[in-house]
């Protein structure tokens, strides 16, 4: 905290010394045919101050010396223009586009989605509301290059270009979500897509701003919990929807108001649903018997979220605070608790079956999270410093797994995070220098606590600079990160005795080992985007990123019930079927990533095509050891082992490569009709012919037709997921399938309330589909035909 105090003192010393010269700038906004554009937004970069153009496209706005105006309007490409106190009668011409342009908050430099060098996708507005699902993975999986881990529809995390878990950073307003979703696939992300204003997906390494956990990409959930613009009137929204496939009901509400620079925000969501239905599928139980089912058991959800925030927004200073709460119960499919301590000798078959039902209890998760965030932002707009921004956050997360009404295992994570950004201008370079601090205190208590308690602390400095050379914008960046992990290892946890005397002896010699290791992660990138003709560009970027192992990858040693495996971390050595803690020569994961993008976004025809190649040294992955784990006998050979024994997987590191293509093409046939084609393909394998990486999503190809008739909007989407037969050892191939969805939205006005009625039909053909990237793909196919209908109101 001493560092933060010094930083705060430095910030306020700068603020107190600032002075600015105010002036008024007037101008006009037109389209490419020199016609005025009404209601275009004009605001001063780095400040809240903004105005709208009148019917003649005219505006008048107060600025400081050496300011920049940002002009935006739906269906037009954003424009930025430098102004000073002498500027007057400014004319800005906007280029029309059929692609929505939105500011990407995760970019740090206020770029819109068409100006980004790295590939990015943004879901916002009605598109986000129509596609929103209870989990981030299910909401985003239709985007090119994005898939979902899918541990049932209530626990599904995003996969970006074949990478997930510890390689994809989930953030909320730029700060880590701080849940336990990177510990296991059965742990749901705590970010709620239903309350989001927009969701941003940055593909490829984003380690410069977000650290080593973003070596594969970033998903940033943006909400308005801390309002950063003044709210002059009372506004709000409410929504109700019902899903037939799981008999679920969702209610959401939002209220915002403000007065004289003070602003207030509230939102809340309530969702409850039963187990979801599927097309009829076959499932094999533990005894080898094949049964049929049309419901995935233990997939219910009961969730409440509550968020409140306030802020003060002045001409230069913005100060805000928010609090958010999540309380969720959700079932975990394929996750049963088995009690092996009963003696069944002499039982009849009927009595044995009764015992089996009693011994196999469904497990569900109870997730609680309290999250506090604070913001201080000051816009200087002087000759070299534009803005100073400090975000801080504290998250208290708890995830308990309930077995037969009692808590079996509890995962806790307390995170403190701070990010200080100073946006500046140096000569013709525009950029940002920043400091990032994070401390994560993780603990797990119970029988599934396969990873010991640990504290992970990072300190990082980063620099991001860009400069325009005519039609080419060049971007350079670097980050140096000090990463430290500390834990206490109990050595007896790793010895498996075979008789009572030895077990008692081992317990008497229990030894705790204090473990601490630090790494220095260095990341750097260089990229450029060339607007070679109006509305068309090509972007190229090269980046190097380094990542140290998470506690789960380094220190795991125990039974992971969710995945049905016994996991051993990088820090252990297996000898004579015993596990010993010997953390020697732990190497960082090092990624070199090349991205090449072609984009067209003007007129009726547009496209985005991305090619990527990712070379990763010391890639952390789980490999089958050929051993199994049995509760009575410990580790032993898989040959002749008991049926209840589970496979033993150990984290290893080998060189790997991932490469592929993703594309999104659209054509505006006429003012009411648009067609899109999208798809992606990812190839992921170990080098030196060592095999494929496991659970890599299948390639997909889809098409979407949008048709508008007055206030009615119709959408039909079909997505084909190809067969996945590029598999690793002990995997099985996954057949291809096609999912067809339809949406109908009707706008109507009820007095002062704008209302939207909608009907979504998901999986119209009731297709049976299995997700290759799922740990429990054979037990949890995708939902069957679902009718979702609802109503939204805005005032």
């Amino acid at each position: 905290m001493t560092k933060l105090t010094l930083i705060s003192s430095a910030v306020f010393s700068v603020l107190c010394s600032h002075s600015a010269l105010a002036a008024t700038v007037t101008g006009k906004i037109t389209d490419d045919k020199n016609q005025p554009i009404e209601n275009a937004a004009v605001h001063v970069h780095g400040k809240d101050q903004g105005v709208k153009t009148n019917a003649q496209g005219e505006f008048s706005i107060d600025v400081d010396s050496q300011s920049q105006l940002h002009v935006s309007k739906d269906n037009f490409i954003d424009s930025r223009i430098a102004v000073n106190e002498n500027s007057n009668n400014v004319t800005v011409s906007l280029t029309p586009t059929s692609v929505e342009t939105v500011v990407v908050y995760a970019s740090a430099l206020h770029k819109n989605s068409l100006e980004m060098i790295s590939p990015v996708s943004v879901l916002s507005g009605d598109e986000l509301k129509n596609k929103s699902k209870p989990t981030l993975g299910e909401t985003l999986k239709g985007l090119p290059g994005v898939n979902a881990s899918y541990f049932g529809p209530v626990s599904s995390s995003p996969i970006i270009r074949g990478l997930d878990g510890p390689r994809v950073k989930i953030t909320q307003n730029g700060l880590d979500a701080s849940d336990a979703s990177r510990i296991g696939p059965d742990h749901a992300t705590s970010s709620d897509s239903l309350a989001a204003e927009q969701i941003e997906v940055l593909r490829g390494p984003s380690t410069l701003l977000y650290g080593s956990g973003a070596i594969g990409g970033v998903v940033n959930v943006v909400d308005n919990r801390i309002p950063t613009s003044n709210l002059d009137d009372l506004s709000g929204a409410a929504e109700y929807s019902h899903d037939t496939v799981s008999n679920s009901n969702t209610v959401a509400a939002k209220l915002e108001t403000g007065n004289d620079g003070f602003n207030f925000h509230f939102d809340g969501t309530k969702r409850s649903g039963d187990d979801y239905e599927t097309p009829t599928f076959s499932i094999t139980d533990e005894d080898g018997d094949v049964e049929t089912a049309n419901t995935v058991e233990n997939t219910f959800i009961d969730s409440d979220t509550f968020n409140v925030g306030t802020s003060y927004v002045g001409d230069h200073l913005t100060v805000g605070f928010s609090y958010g709460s999540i309380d969720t119960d959700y079932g975990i499919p394929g996750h049963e608790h088995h009690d092996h301590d009963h003696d069944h000798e002499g039982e009849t078959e009927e009595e044995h079956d009764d015992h089996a039902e009693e011994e196999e209890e469904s497990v569900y998760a109870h997730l609680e999270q309290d999250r506090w965030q604070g913001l201080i932002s000051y816009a200087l707009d002087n000759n070299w410093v534009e803005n100073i921004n400090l975000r801080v956050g504290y998250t208290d997360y708890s995830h308990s797994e309930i077995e037969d009404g009692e808590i079996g295992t509890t995962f806790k994570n307390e995170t403190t995070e701070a990010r200080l950004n100073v946006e500046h201008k140096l000569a013709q370079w525009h950029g940002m220098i920043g400091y990032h601090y994070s401390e994560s205190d993780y603990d797990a208590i119970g029988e599934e606590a396969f990873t010991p308690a640990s504290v992970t602390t990072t300190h990082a400095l980063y620099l991001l600079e860009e400069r325009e050379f005519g039609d080419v914008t060049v971007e350079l960046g670097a980050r140096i990160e000090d990463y430290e992990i500390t834990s206490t290892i109990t050595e007896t946890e790793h010895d498996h005795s075979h008789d009572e005397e030895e077990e008692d002896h081992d317990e008497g010699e229990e030894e705790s080992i204090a473990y601490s290791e630090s790494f220095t992660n260095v990341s750097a990138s260089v990229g450029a985007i060339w607007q070679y003709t109006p509305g068309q560009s090509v972007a190229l970027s090269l980046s190097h990123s380094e990542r140290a192992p998470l506690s789960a990858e380094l220190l795991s040693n125990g039974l992971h019930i969710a995945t049905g495996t016994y996991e051993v971390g990088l820090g252990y050595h297996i000898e004579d079927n015993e596990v010993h803690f010997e953390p020697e020569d732990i190497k960082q994961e090092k990624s070199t990533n090349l991205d090449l993008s072609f984009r067209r976004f003007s007129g009726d025809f547009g496209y985005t095509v991305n090619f990527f190649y990712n070379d990763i040294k010391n890639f952390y992955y789980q490999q089958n050891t050929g051993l199994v784990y049995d509760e009575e006998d410990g580790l032993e050979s898989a040959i002749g082992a008991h049926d209840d024994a589970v496979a033993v997987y150990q984290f290893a590191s080998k060189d790997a490569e991932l490469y592929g293509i993703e594309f999104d093409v659209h054509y505006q046939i006429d003012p009411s009709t648009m067609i899109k084609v999208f798809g992606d393909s990812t190839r992921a394998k170990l080098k030196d012919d060592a095999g494929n990486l496991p659970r890599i999503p299948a390639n997909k190809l889809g098409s979407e037709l949008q048709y508008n008739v007055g206030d009615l909007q119709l959408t039909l989407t079909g997505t084909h997921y190809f067969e996945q037969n590029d598999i690793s050892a002990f995997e099985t191939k996954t057949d291809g399938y096609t999912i067809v969805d339809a949406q109908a939205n009707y706008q109507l006005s009820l007095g002062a309330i704008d209302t939207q009625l909608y009907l979504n039909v998901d999986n119209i053909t009731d297709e049976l589909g299995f997700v290759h990237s799922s740990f429990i793909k054979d037990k949890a196919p995708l939902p069957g035909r679902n009718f979702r209908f609802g109503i939204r109101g805005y005032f």
Side-chain angles (χ1 to χ4, degrees):
M1 295 304 294
T2 303
K3 291 185 177 181
L4 291 179
T5 302
L6 293 174
I7 292 171
S8 300
S9 300
V11 170
F12 283 106
S13 67
V14 173
L15 304 187
C16 295
S17 64
H18 170 72
S19 62
L21 178 64
T24 300
V25 172
T26 61
K28 184 175 183 179
I29 310 300
T30 64
D31 61 18
D32 58 337
K33 297 180 175 59
N34 204 33
Q35 296 299 307
I37 299 178
E38 185 179 4
N39 286 326
V42 182
H43 80 266
V44 180
H45 175 66
K47 298 200 302 182
D48 171 62
Q49 187 178 356
V51 296
K52 297 280 189 177
T53 56
N54 60 20
Q56 288 74 44
E58 300 168 339
F59 70 91
S60 176
I61 190 170
D62 293 332
V63 300
D64 297 327
S65 61
Q66 302 299 320
S67 297
Q68 185 186 75
L69 296 184
H70 180 196
V71 184
S72 61
K73 172 68 175 177
D74 291 344
N75 301 319
F76 289 89
I77 300 173
D78 290 12
S79 179
R80 289 181 171 85
I81 181 171
V83 294
N84 55 44
E85 64 272 15
N86 298 318
S87 299
N88 208 350
N89 295 323
V90 175
T91 300
V92 180
S93 179
L94 298 183
T95 303
T97 176
S98 56
V99 179
E100 184 180 11
T101 61
V102 292
V103 173
V104 180
Y105 292 93
S107 70
L109 295 179
H110 316 285
K111 293 186 176 183
N112 66 45
S113 51
L114 302 180
E115 298 170 328
M116 294 284 292
I117 293 176
S118 299
V120 63
S121 295
V122 180
L123 283 181
S124 62
D126 287 339
E127 183 182 17
L128 172 58
K129 293 179 175 64
N130 292 334
K131 294 183 178 180
S132 182
K133 298 290 193 298
T135 64
L136 280 179
E138 292 305 287
T139 299
L140 302 174
K141 69 178 185 180
L143 297 176
V146 184
N147 288 275
S149 60
Y150 201 77
F151 213 92
V154 295
S155 180
S156 180
S157 299
I159 299 175
I160 301 178
R161 294 176 171 178
L163 300 176
D164 65 345
R167 299 178 181 89
V168 173
K169 177 77 76 174
I170 309 295
T171 64
Q172 185 179 47
N173 299 321
L175 296 181
D176 198 327
S178 304
D179 51 38
S181 60
R182 290 191 279 178
I183 301 299
D186 58 322
H187 298 175
T189 58
S190 59
S191 298
D192 182 11
S193 61
L194 294 172
E197 299 286 329
Q198 69 183 46
I199 302 178
E200 306 163 349
V201 180
L202 279 65
R203 303 179 186 87
S206 301
T207 56
L208 297 181
L209 293 176
Y210 298 98
S212 57
I215 201 169
V218 168
V219 176
N220 185 40
V221 179
V222 180
D223 56 44
N224 201 37
R225 293 182 187 181
I226 301 178
T228 54
S229 59
N230 279 319
L231 307 172
D232 298 324
D233 302 311
L234 175 66
S235 63
E239 178 177 3
Y240 166 78
S241 66
H242 177 79
D243 288 76
T244 60
V245 76
S246 59
N247 191 33
S248 64
N249 296 285
T250 302
V251 178
K254 180 178 75 171
L255 284 174
E256 293 183 334
T257 188
N259 182 49
D260 197 23
F262 291 92
N263 310 282
F264 304 92
H265 169 93
F266 160 81
D267 71 75
T269 304
K270 168 69 176 178
R271 184 175 188 270
S272 60
D274 302 327
D275 296 346
Y276 74 91
E277 299 175 350
T278 71
T280 301
F281 69 102
S282 299
I283 186 171
T284 303
D285 61 24
E286 291 186 348
D287 297 325
D289 298 329
V290 178
E291 302 175 350
T292 59
N294 54 21
T295 300
V296 177
E297 297 181 358
N298 205 28
T299 53
F300 72 91
I301 187 171
D302 188 357
S303 177
D304 296 281
T305 66
F306 170 83
N307 302 295
V308 62
T310 184
S311 68
Y312 170 77
V313 178
D315 287 341
H316 295 276
L317 178 66
T318 298
V319 180
F321 172 83
S322 72
Y323 167 75
S325 172
I326 301 175
D327 192 328
T328 300
D329 290 331
Y330 67 92
I332 307 175
H335 193 341
E336 289 82 23
H337 172 64
H338 302 278
D339 187 351
H340 299 286
D341 295 334
H342 295 287
D343 183 4
H344 303 307
E345 186 175 350
E347 288 184 341
T348 65
E349 182 176 348
E350 182 177 349
E351 290 172 334
H352 178 77
D353 291 340
D354 291 340
H355 274 297
E357 291 182 4
E358 293 174 1
E359 292 163 14
E360 186 174 302
E361 299 290 345
S362 294
V363 177
Y364 71 93
H366 178 63
L367 186 157
E368 292 181 298
Q369 178 176 283
D370 294 304
R371 184 176 178 89
W372 292 265
Q373 288 189 354
L375 168 67
I376 300 176
S377 179
Y378 195 87
L380 285 85
D381 291 318
N382 64 20
N383 290 331
W384 62 281
V385 176
E386 291 187 336
N387 184 276
I388 300 175
N389 183 288
L390 174 65
R391 280 192 179 271
V392 295
Y394 173 77
T395 303
D396 186 358
Y397 170 92
S398 175
H399 170 110
S400 298
E401 304 203 339
I402 314 299
E403 304 171 357
D404 195 20
E406 298 182 355
I407 296 177
T409 307
T410 297
F411 300 87
K412 296 182 178 181
N413 192 21
E414 293 185 32
T415 301
T416 304
E417 187 174 9
R419 183 185 297 277
L420 176 67
N421 292 329
V422 178
E423 189 176 351
H424 60 264
K425 293 177 289 186
L426 297 174
Q428 298 185 51
W429 290 89
H430 172 225
M432 175 176 292
I433 185 171
Y435 166 74
H436 184 203
Y437 166 80
S438 176
E439 180 182 85
S440 175
D441 188 348
Y442 166 81
D443 195 8
I445 305 170
E447 66 178 46
E448 197 184 334
F450 56 94
T451 302
S454 63
V455 176
T456 303
T457 306
T458 62
H459 298 272
L461 293 174
Y462 52 87
L463 179 68
L464 190 65
E465 300 289 339
E466 68 172 9
R467 180 178 173 181
E468 295 182 358
F469 296 88
D471 296 329
V472 177
T473 300
V474 175
E475 184 178 279
L476 306 174
R479 176 186 176 107
I480 182 168
E481 175 183 275
D482 177 69
Y483 179 100
E484 182 180 32
I485 182 169
T486 60
S487 182
T488 299
I489 309 300
T490 304
E491 186 69 359
T492 53
E493 292 177 0
H494 320 308
D495 294 329
H496 304 288
S497 304
H498 299 281
D499 59 65
E500 187 173 349
E501 292 182 3
E502 289 184 4
E503 186 172 336
D504 293 339
H505 180 68
D506 286 342
E507 290 178 355
E509 294 183 355
E510 182 176 285
E511 179 183 3
S512 294
I513 302 173
Y515 174 74
S516 179
E517 185 63 78
S518 62
F519 302 85
T520 300
N521 299 318
V522 178
S523 301
S525 70
V526 56
I529 183 169
W530 176 29
Q531 306 280 353
Y532 59 90
T533 191
Q536 298 186 53
S537 66
V538 57
L540 179 67
S541 64
L542 177 66
S543 60
H544 172 81
S545 305
E546 297 181 353
R547 183 175 80 89
L550 294 183
S551 59
E553 298 169 310
L554 182 62
L555 305 176
S556 291
N557 181 37
L559 181 64
H560 192 173
I561 298 176
T563 60
T565 61
Y566 189 98
E567 296 188 4
V568 181
L570 288 163
Y572 298 95
H573 176 67
I574 300 177
E575 184 177 1
D576 296 330
N577 293 349
E578 291 187 352
V579 184
H580 302 282
F581 186 60
E582 299 177 4
E584 299 177 357
D585 194 27
I586 304 298
K587 297 179 180 180
Q588 293 153 289
E589 194 174 85
K590 299 182 178 181
S591 168
T592 301
N593 190 88
L594 180 68
D595 257 296
L596 177 62
S597 301
F598 298 91
R599 304 168 190 164
R600 175 189 171 100
F601 41 85
S602 64
D604 296 330
F605 175 68
Y607 55 78
T608 299
V609 182
N610 305 318
F611 298 91
F612 67 92
Y613 178 81
N614 196 359
D615 181 277
I616 306 179
K617 292 185 177 181
N618 309 317
F619 183 85
Y620 307 143
Y621 73 104
Q622 289 178 296
Q623 65 177 5
N624 195 303
T625 63
L627 301 174
V628 295
Y629 170 78
D630 182 82
E631 290 186 356
E632 295 181 359
D633 300 325
L635 269 62
E636 59 182 354
S637 173
I639 302 175
H642 193 275
D643 291 340
D644 288 339
V646 298
V648 177
Y649 281 79
Q650 183 170 21
F651 280 94
S653 61
K654 289 185 179 180
D655 295 347
E657 60 180 353
L658 298 89
Y659 52 89
I661 181 176
E662 54 208 17
F663 61 90
D664 189 341
V665 182
H666 69 272
Y667 178 59
Q668 189 78 42
I669 299 174
D670 56 46
S672 62
T673 309
M674 175 184 282
I675 188 169
K676 295 182 179 181
V677 178
F678 58 89
D680 59 55
S681 174
T682 299
R683 186 77 173 90
K685 59 184 180 179
L686 297 171
K687 288 189 172 182
D688 301 324
D689 297 323
N692 299 306
L693 292 177
R695 292 178 300 279
I696 297 301
N699 301 333
K700 69 174 180 277
L701 177 64
S703 180
E704 181 175 292
L705 176 65
Q706 297 178 2
Y707 184 67
N708 298 325
V709 184
D711 293 324
L712 178 65
Q713 181 186 66
L714 302 173
T715 304
L716 181 66
T717 306
T719 307
H720 178 72
Y721 294 84
F722 291 86
E723 176 187 76
Q724 179 57 290
N725 52 19
D726 293 326
I727 56 179
S728 64
F730 307 100
E731 272 193 302
T732 59
K733 74 172 186 177
T734 303
D735 293 334
Y737 55 93
T738 301
I739 301 295
V740 180
D741 304 324
Q743 297 176 353
N745 298 274
Y746 183 72
Q747 302 280 349
L748 68 156
S749 295
L750 299 176
I753 301 177
D754 292 329
T755 306
Q756 184 181 79
L757 302 175
Y758 62 89
L759 171 65
N760 295 0
V761 187
D762 302 324
N763 195 3
I764 294 175
T765 61
D766 204 31
E767 179 89 347
L768 179 63
F770 295 92
V771 181
H772 185 78
S773 53
S774 172
F775 275 91
I776 55 170
K777 69 170 184 176
D778 296 326
K779 296 180 180 179
L782 292 170
R785 183 185 300 112
N786 176 42
F787 293 88
R788 180 189 181 197
F789 53 88
I791 182 172
R792 303 187 188 105
Y794 307 87
F795 65 91

